[in-house]
Amino acid sequence: MLQAYFDEGLEDTAVFEFFVRKLPSERNFLLAAGLAQVLDYLEQLRFTSDEIEWLASTGRYPPAFLDYLGALRFRGSIYAMPEGTVFFADEPILRVTAPIAQAQLVETRIVNLLNFQVMIASKAARCMLAGRGKLLVDFGLRRAHGAEAGLLAARACYLAGFSGTATVQAGREFGVPLFGTMAHSYIQAHEREEAAFERFATSQPGNVTLLIDTYDTEAAAHKVAVVAPRLRAQGIDIRAVRLDSGDIAEHARRVRRIFDLAGLAHIRIFCSGNMDEYEIERLLATGTPIDGFGVGTRLDTSADAPYLDCVYKLEEYAGRARRKRSEGKSTWPGRKQVFRRHGADGRIAGDVITVEGETQPGEALMVSVMVDGRRTLPQPSLEEIRERAASELARLPEPLRQLSPAQIPYPVEIAAPVQRLAERVDQYLSKQGT
């Protein structure tokens, strides 16, 4: 496509917008995430000499076009919703304005980055709502769909409110707090389970979380009760135990009883193993004495909604609004803005999508973040994004906070100026015989 644009001399300004056509069936909202990685990608965009050489070796591209690629840099502008913003179907969360070849080239990577992190952050936000303030840790790297997916999932989970991750690289890359316990193999490598507990504790005295379901969970809890006073005499406290299998609820109740009778009320119970928002809600609704959850496979793959119906569509080219009219996939034309109203209680009350330049009551959600290929605002810290997400989730109306679909979806209105623009585009296309 880039060569076709190049050959034809098509280089006018294009406007593309990224949005989600419809929410997954079990989602009442989505959470914006991934913008930082998009901006990094756009600022660093270039074809290396090795890449140019490889393209030349295919024999498909003429030298003049390859020279053009070698000089190509992104020189466009970006409007976007800040990361951590709650959003809904049809609402653009990112707008690219650039020469059409540049805007077209970046489509796949932008969709890749936003689709994934929005998907995971939205799942993690649901876990947060179900978790009622409990410790939540991302445990999903080993079953994520690739190393980058696991790394970005750790970021998206923390952004949405998780306490941290077991993915060590996310601590190095993004400053996400790190959590870890131990594996069954460590227990199995020792002749005595009790010895494994003591030796691990002396190796990690400031972070003792013991895995107690390798053999017999309750028997292991009794061993912990024996080991704990010996370790305390050495100045080492057992912070928590982890349960990862069996009837988690029943094991948690029995283990809690064992520890309380032994005077070990300070030892917390942390659970993992096929956790997600539904399992967290079920366990907590029955009063199960669990202090935290490691959420892995079902979170980092967003198992119940493993993709978003998201798209990146041309809305304007060469100063004229454009519109796709495919059956079931039509788009609203033109550059758009989203305005959000809040009720007297501070909760979000409704959104309006209108054309850029038109004002509506409420807060405009799309802001300028890049001009001429360079950021216009300092990159917010991950802690700042996390605070924004927490504020946004706190302002969700109660029906949207539930895991089940809201009986009345959140209202998103297409303003009259957008509808009139669509009519004008349709009339123009009809005259052109399109």
Side-chain angles (χ1 to χ4, degrees), residues 218-229:
E218 284 72 37
H222 284 293
K223 293 172 186 176
V224 170
V226 172
V227 166

Side-chain angles (χ1 to χ4, degrees), residues 289-328:
I290 295 175
D291 301 293
F293 298 88
V295 193
T297 302
R298 295 180 182 178
L299 172 60
D300 282 32
T301 62
S302 188
D304 65 321
Y307 68 92
L308 299 175
D309 186 11
C310 59
V311 292
Y312 176 91
K313 294 301 178 185
L314 180 69
E315 311 292 11
E316 179 186 303
Y317 178 64
R320 181 182 294 278
R322 310 285 168 150
R323 184 186 192 196
K324 180 180 176 181
R325 297 198 296 178
S326 305
E327 183 177 350

Side-chain angles (χ1 to χ4, degrees), residues 196-217:
F197 292 158
E198 287 193 82
R199 288 168 185 168
F200 184 82
T202 56
S203 177
Q204 294 287 317
N207 181 32
V208 183
T209 299
L210 303 176
L211 181 60
I212 63 172
D213 68 335
T214 304
Y215 304 117
D216 181 300
T217 301

Side-chain angles (χ1 to χ4, degrees), residues 127-207:
C127 292
M128 287 295 302
L129 294 173
R132 308 179 188 180
K134 300 290 186 180
L135 175 75
L136 297 182
V137 178
D138 160 46
F139 264 26
L141 172 62
R142 65 185 60 189
R143 290 183 182 155
H145 296 164
E148 184 189 51
L151 180 63
L152 293 181
R155 179 184 187 273
C157 291
Y158 187 64
L159 177 161
F162 270 44
S163 298
T165 182
T167 302
V168 176
Q169 182 67 10
R172 178 175 181 268
E173 188 86 10
F174 304 121
V176 178
L178 299 177
F179 290 77
T181 60
M182 62 198 307
H184 292 292
S185 56
Y186 184 86
I187 304 293
Q188 292 172 282
H190 292 77
E191 295 301 320
R192 296 171 51 250
E193 192 174 27
E194 190 174 321
F197 292 158
E198 287 193 82
R199 288 168 185 168
F200 184 82
T202 56
S203 177
Q204 294 287 317
N207 181 32

Side-chain angles (χ1 to χ4, degrees), residues 132 247-250 252-253 271 275 277-290 293:
R132 308 179 188 180
D247 185 337
I248 293 290
E250 185 59 29
R253 284 189 285 267
C271 295
M275 293 293 161
E277 66 267 44
Y278 301 105
E279 185 66 4
I280 292 169
E281 183 178 65
R282 184 187 72 80
L283 289 167
L284 296 183
T286 58
T288 306
I290 295 175
F293 298 88

